[in-house]
Amino acid sequence: MSFENLAGVQGDPSAKGSGNAATDKFKHEAVKSDTSKERANAIYTDLLAAIAEVAHKHQITYDEYRVLKNWMIQVGEYGEWPLWLDVFVEHEIEKINYDRHNYTGTKGSIEGPYYVENAPELPWNGEMPMREQDKAATPLIFKGQVTDVDGNGLAGATIELWHADEEGYYSQFAPGIPEWNLRGTIVTNENGEYEIKTLQPAPYQIPSDGPTGWFIDSYGGHPWRPAHLHLKVKNPGYREITTQLYFQGGDYTDNDVATAVKPELLLDPQTDDQGNNVVNYGFALDKED
Ligand code: DHB
Ligand code: FE
């Protein structure tokens, strides 16, 4: 493993720009947990034991240790901790916190680093905010119903939708994109139904010109995620769902760098006679427990 290019990559706007934007956003979130000293002690003890086991198993050299230290410093300087953690760790945390309950509703997936709250509400049957250049992509008409787990429609539920543009950039995390581009909040009608027009997203490459990219290169991996829509679905009294939807047969659905695809989350849009991709997806919300 070597990161000889450490000095040369400084100044590239992409990894550093989106990394620092994600870090700045995260720093403004109120982050706290009520972890007891006993629990912290148990976690710390097991964590150090796991690190020791790996270090011994692979007979880690001093050069490797120094490269790791240098890399971790760079991850911080590039602001890439939210990116790296959400790609390599979040999916396990998501699974643990789903499996702990007896949920039967729609499966969750990782939030990732690019959610922004309070996206503007869009009119029923409306269109996601997008630029002229975004309209070169195939339109995607995304519709369906939000229900409880028994199939009863939930009126007034909200669906927050956000996704990348054709080039893989998220508004507010890359320069030059209107603030709420490809972000919106949809409210279900009296039957719990929703319908929105957006564009068919493309596979997404996580910023690969910074420390997360060097990390992936170092073990011969790839930086791609399958094309995806991000969603948060909320209705008072019900479990809030943070999830993603993917496209059946799309590239990287079976080797997502972030390990966040589940079979229940694959869409299969059909083309209508105007050339739109059209897809129905039902969200089932569990009661809050
Ligand atoms: C990352 C980006 C995403 O769009 C996503 O869905 C998950 C992770 C990332 O760069 O870390
Ligand atoms: Fe994403």
Side-chain angles (χ1 to χ4, degrees), residues 82-84 86-87 110 112-114 170 204 206-207 225 228 230 244 258:
L83 277 60
W84 191 90
D86 291 352
V87 167
I110 65 171
Y114 302 138
Y170 285 85
Y204 171 80
I206 63 167
R225 300 212 60 223
H228 58 278
H230 287 273
Q244 300 189 25

Side-chain angles (χ1 to χ4, degrees), residues 86-243:
D86 291 352
V87 167
F88 292 102
V89 181
E90 189 184 354
H91 63 98
E92 295 295 344
I93 307 298
E94 192 279 319
K95 179 170 166 38
I96 291 161
N97 288 283
Y98 183 88
D99 290 351
R100 194 183 307 135
H101 306 267
N102 294 316
Y103 292 144
T104 58
T106 302
K107 292 261 160 59
S109 185
I110 65 171
E111 178 174 309
Y114 302 138
Y115 169 67
V116 183
E117 54 184 13
N118 299 322
E121 189 177 318
L122 304 174
W124 170 258
N125 213 344
E127 189 172 292
M128 285 278 270
M130 61 176 90
R131 299 159 296 180
E132 231 15 72
Q133 69 196 78
D134 296 316
K135 294 184 179 165
T138 306
L140 175 68
I141 296 172
F142 175 59
K143 58 184 178 176
Q145 195 185 21
V146 179
T147 66
D148 63 16
V149 290
D150 298 319
N152 303 303
L154 297 174
T158 57
I159 302 175
E160 291 167 86
L161 173 63
W162 72 104
H163 64 91
D165 66 18
E166 273 279 278
E167 294 176 308
Y169 293 119
Y170 285 85
S171 58
Q172 303 190 37
F173 296 90
I177 305 176
E179 191 175 16
W180 296 104
N181 207 54
L182 299 174
R183 296 178 183 275
T185 300
I186 307 147
V187 182
T188 60
N189 71 7
E190 65 279 11
N191 302 317
E193 295 159 331
Y194 68 91
E195 177 166 345
I196 191 80
K197 186 170 179 183
T198 187
L199 58 86
Q200 179 74 36
Y204 171 80
Q205 190 177 21
I206 63 167
S208 57
D209 54 352
T212 301
W214 311 334
F215 175 81
I216 293 168
D217 273 353
S218 75
Y219 64 79
H222 72 73
W224 290 92
R225 300 212 60 223
H228 58 278
L229 303 171
H230 287 273
L231 303 123
K232 268 186 198 284
V233 187
K234 302 180 189 175
N235 194 61
Y238 291 81
R239 174 181 75 102
E240 176 180 322
I241 299 177
T242 300
T243 196

